[in-house]
Amino acid sequence: MTFAEYADIDAVNWSTLSAMRDSPLHYAHRLRTPRPDTPALAMGRAIHTAVLEPDAFPLGYVVRPDGIDRRTKAGKEAWANLVAASADRTILDADDYARCLAMRDAVRSHPTARRYLADLRTEIPLVWDDPATGLRCKARLDGYSEEGGLVELKSARTVDPVRFGAQAARLGYHCQVAHYRAGLVAVAGAAANLPVVIVSVESEAPHDVVVYSVDEDLLYAGEEE
């Protein structure tokens, strides 16, 4: 299932539901006006593809050559030719493309992260009915394996435990993975205490990596919220 096909599913997902952390008015506004795609979101998808699906990355992304000035006639023609030649692939600046590869290498060379990525099924779409409310829900998991459990990839400015922990709490990562685990329990019959880890990688060199285990207390807090 492509990301566009997943986005078209009429169901409650975490990125929309998270607006309730501000207020019901924010949630209603998010429902009426979905978030537009942004360069940051597009870069996040590129990083996820590079790290979680390294074989698919060169098939889905291409480097924009230096020297194309789209303000000039020649630059516009060169850009049009590049777009035509790229087909359905996403065009990245050379620096962004190199950053994706560097983050991929950092994660996949990290001994603990590498263990969790082994035999990992990635970009898994789930659709289920929430037993408590009857609402149709959906999620798109970064990764899942029977041995390693639920794996979520996050890029960050720093993987320092205190500062990354503050970011995780502010953005509701514990709620997000609790929502994902509920989907796995409902759809795949996974154990209610399925282990959950967050693989965090710094977005700037040297791209340090830490694997955080999300404990049951945090997951319970996410479920309650």
PDB file of all heavy atoms in Angstrom, residues 59-60 62-63 81-91:
ATOM      1  N   LEU A  59      15.651   3.458  -5.479  1.00  0.00           N
ATOM      2  CA  LEU A  59      14.565   3.310  -6.443  1.00  0.00           C
ATOM      3  C   LEU A  59      13.534   4.424  -6.302  1.00  0.00           C
ATOM      4  O   LEU A  59      12.808   4.731  -7.260  1.00  0.00           O
ATOM      5  CB  LEU A  59      13.874   1.950  -6.254  1.00  0.00           C
ATOM      6  CG  LEU A  59      14.763   0.716  -6.401  1.00  0.00           C
ATOM      7  CD1 LEU A  59      13.952  -0.549  -6.123  1.00  0.00           C
ATOM      8  CD2 LEU A  59      15.394   0.662  -7.786  1.00  0.00           C
ATOM      9  N   GLY A  60      13.471   5.018  -5.108  1.00  0.00           N
ATOM     10  CA  GLY A  60      12.462   6.043  -4.867  1.00  0.00           C
ATOM     11  C   GLY A  60      12.983   7.464  -4.818  1.00  0.00           C
ATOM     12  O   GLY A  60      12.196   8.418  -4.816  1.00  0.00           O
ATOM     13  N   VAL A  62      16.222  10.384  -6.076  1.00  0.00           N
ATOM     14  CA  VAL A  62      17.279  10.725  -7.020  1.00  0.00           C
ATOM     15  C   VAL A  62      17.885  12.059  -6.587  1.00  0.00           C
ATOM     16  O   VAL A  62      17.212  12.904  -5.991  1.00  0.00           O
ATOM     17  CB  VAL A  62      16.724  10.810  -8.462  1.00  0.00           C
ATOM     18  CG1 VAL A  62      15.688  11.921  -8.574  1.00  0.00           C
ATOM     19  CG2 VAL A  62      17.840  10.998  -9.470  1.00  0.00           C
ATOM     20  N   VAL A  63      19.169  12.233  -6.877  1.00  0.00           N
ATOM     21  CA  VAL A  63      19.882  13.452  -6.483  1.00  0.00           C
ATOM     22  C   VAL A  63      19.661  14.552  -7.520  1.00  0.00           C
ATOM     23  O   VAL A  63      19.750  14.314  -8.729  1.00  0.00           O
ATOM     24  CB  VAL A  63      21.392  13.175  -6.339  1.00  0.00           C
ATOM     25  CG1 VAL A  63      22.123  14.465  -5.967  1.00  0.00           C
ATOM     26  CG2 VAL A  63      21.637  12.107  -5.287  1.00  0.00           C
ATOM     27  N   ASN A  81      13.499  18.393 -17.556  1.00  0.00           N
ATOM     28  CA  ASN A  81      14.097  17.148 -18.046  1.00  0.00           C
ATOM     29  C   ASN A  81      14.401  16.191 -16.893  1.00  0.00           C
ATOM     30  O   ASN A  81      14.213  14.977 -17.015  1.00  0.00           O
ATOM     31  CB  ASN A  81      15.378  17.448 -18.828  1.00  0.00           C
ATOM     32  CG  ASN A  81      15.106  18.158 -20.137  1.00  0.00           C
ATOM     33  OD1 ASN A  81      14.013  18.031 -20.705  1.00  0.00           O
ATOM     34  ND2 ASN A  81      16.078  18.914 -20.622  1.00  0.00           N
ATOM     35  N   LEU A  82      14.876  16.753 -15.766  1.00  0.00           N
ATOM     36  CA  LEU A  82      15.176  15.922 -14.605  1.00  0.00           C
ATOM     37  C   LEU A  82      13.909  15.292 -14.045  1.00  0.00           C
ATOM     38  O   LEU A  82      13.882  14.101 -13.719  1.00  0.00           O
ATOM     39  CB  LEU A  82      15.870  16.759 -13.526  1.00  0.00           C
ATOM     40  CG  LEU A  82      16.170  16.044 -12.204  1.00  0.00           C
ATOM     41  CD1 LEU A  82      17.132  14.876 -12.437  1.00  0.00           C
ATOM     42  CD2 LEU A  82      16.758  17.020 -11.185  1.00  0.00           C
ATOM     43  N   VAL A  83      12.848  16.086 -13.946  1.00  0.00           N
ATOM     44  CA  VAL A  83      11.573  15.563 -13.446  1.00  0.00           C
ATOM     45  C   VAL A  83      11.058  14.446 -14.350  1.00  0.00           C
ATOM     46  O   VAL A  83      10.598  13.403 -13.889  1.00  0.00           O
ATOM     47  CB  VAL A  83      10.539  16.696 -13.322  1.00  0.00           C
ATOM     48  CG1 VAL A  83       9.147  16.128 -13.041  1.00  0.00           C
ATOM     49  CG2 VAL A  83      10.943  17.682 -12.234  1.00  0.00           C
ATOM     50  N   ALA A  84      11.151  14.655 -15.660  1.00  0.00           N
ATOM     51  CA  ALA A  84      10.688  13.642 -16.611  1.00  0.00           C
ATOM     52  C   ALA A  84      11.511  12.361 -16.495  1.00  0.00           C
ATOM     53  O   ALA A  84      10.980  11.246 -16.528  1.00  0.00           O
ATOM     54  CB  ALA A  84      10.747  14.183 -18.029  1.00  0.00           C
ATOM     55  N   ALA A  85      12.817  12.512 -16.345  1.00  0.00           N
ATOM     56  CA  ALA A  85      13.695  11.340 -16.251  1.00  0.00           C
ATOM     57  C   ALA A  85      13.545  10.623 -14.918  1.00  0.00           C
ATOM     58  O   ALA A  85      13.808   9.418 -14.826  1.00  0.00           O
ATOM     59  CB  ALA A  85      15.147  11.761 -16.447  1.00  0.00           C
ATOM     60  N   SER A  86      13.116  11.353 -13.896  1.00  0.00           N
ATOM     61  CA  SER A  86      13.003  10.756 -12.565  1.00  0.00           C
ATOM     62  C   SER A  86      11.755   9.906 -12.403  1.00  0.00           C
ATOM     63  O   SER A  86      11.651   9.130 -11.452  1.00  0.00           O
ATOM     64  CB  SER A  86      13.011  11.858 -11.497  1.00  0.00           C
ATOM     65  OG  SER A  86      14.185  12.628 -11.582  1.00  0.00           O
ATOM     66  N   ALA A  87      10.800  10.073 -13.316  1.00  0.00           N
ATOM     67  CA  ALA A  87       9.528   9.330 -13.245  1.00  0.00           C
ATOM     68  C   ALA A  87       8.875   9.592 -11.892  1.00  0.00           C
ATOM     69  O   ALA A  87       8.630  10.744 -11.540  1.00  0.00           O
ATOM     70  CB  ALA A  87       9.764   7.854 -13.498  1.00  0.00           C
ATOM     71  N   ASP A  88       8.613   8.550 -11.115  1.00  0.00           N
ATOM     72  CA  ASP A  88       7.924   8.713  -9.836  1.00  0.00           C
ATOM     73  C   ASP A  88       8.880   8.915  -8.669  1.00  0.00           C
ATOM     74  O   ASP A  88       8.441   8.979  -7.516  1.00  0.00           O
ATOM     75  CB  ASP A  88       7.049   7.485  -9.561  1.00  0.00           C
ATOM     76  CG  ASP A  88       5.905   7.362 -10.551  1.00  0.00           C
ATOM     77  OD1 ASP A  88       5.451   8.400 -11.052  1.00  0.00           O
ATOM     78  OD2 ASP A  88       5.475   6.221 -10.826  1.00  0.00           O
ATOM     79  N   ARG A  89      10.175   9.003  -8.926  1.00  0.00           N
ATOM     80  CA  ARG A  89      11.128   9.165  -7.833  1.00  0.00           C
ATOM     81  C   ARG A  89      11.122  10.595  -7.303  1.00  0.00           C
ATOM     82  O   ARG A  89      10.877  11.545  -8.041  1.00  0.00           O
ATOM     83  CB  ARG A  89      12.530   8.781  -8.298  1.00  0.00           C
ATOM     84  CG  ARG A  89      12.691   7.280  -8.557  1.00  0.00           C
ATOM     85  CD  ARG A  89      14.130   6.914  -8.854  1.00  0.00           C
ATOM     86  NE  ARG A  89      14.587   7.502 -10.115  1.00  0.00           N
ATOM     87  CZ  ARG A  89      15.852   7.433 -10.538  1.00  0.00           C
ATOM     88  NH1 ARG A  89      16.770   6.849  -9.795  1.00  0.00           N
ATOM     89  NH2 ARG A  89      16.183   7.974 -11.700  1.00  0.00           N
ATOM     90  N   THR A  90      11.405  10.742  -6.015  1.00  0.00           N
ATOM     91  CA  THR A  90      11.477  12.044  -5.367  1.00  0.00           C
ATOM     92  C   THR A  90      12.876  12.617  -5.544  1.00  0.00           C
ATOM     93  O   THR A  90      13.872  11.905  -5.387  1.00  0.00           O
ATOM     94  CB  THR A  90      11.156  11.922  -3.873  1.00  0.00           C
ATOM     95  OG1 THR A  90       9.832  11.396  -3.718  1.00  0.00           O
ATOM     96  CG2 THR A  90      11.237  13.277  -3.178  1.00  0.00           C
ATOM     97  N   ILE A  91      12.951  13.894  -5.868  1.00  0.00           N
ATOM     98  CA  ILE A  91      14.239  14.555  -6.110  1.00  0.00           C
ATOM     99  C   ILE A  91      14.707  15.223  -4.815  1.00  0.00           C
ATOM    100  O   ILE A  91      13.985  16.012  -4.210  1.00  0.00           O
ATOM    101  CB  ILE A  91      14.109  15.595  -7.229  1.00  0.00           C
ATOM    102  CG1 ILE A  91      13.610  14.920  -8.522  1.00  0.00           C
ATOM    103  CG2 ILE A  91      15.428  16.307  -7.460  1.00  0.00           C
ATOM    104  CD1 ILE A  91      13.224  15.898  -9.602  1.00  0.00           C
TER     105      ILE A  91
END
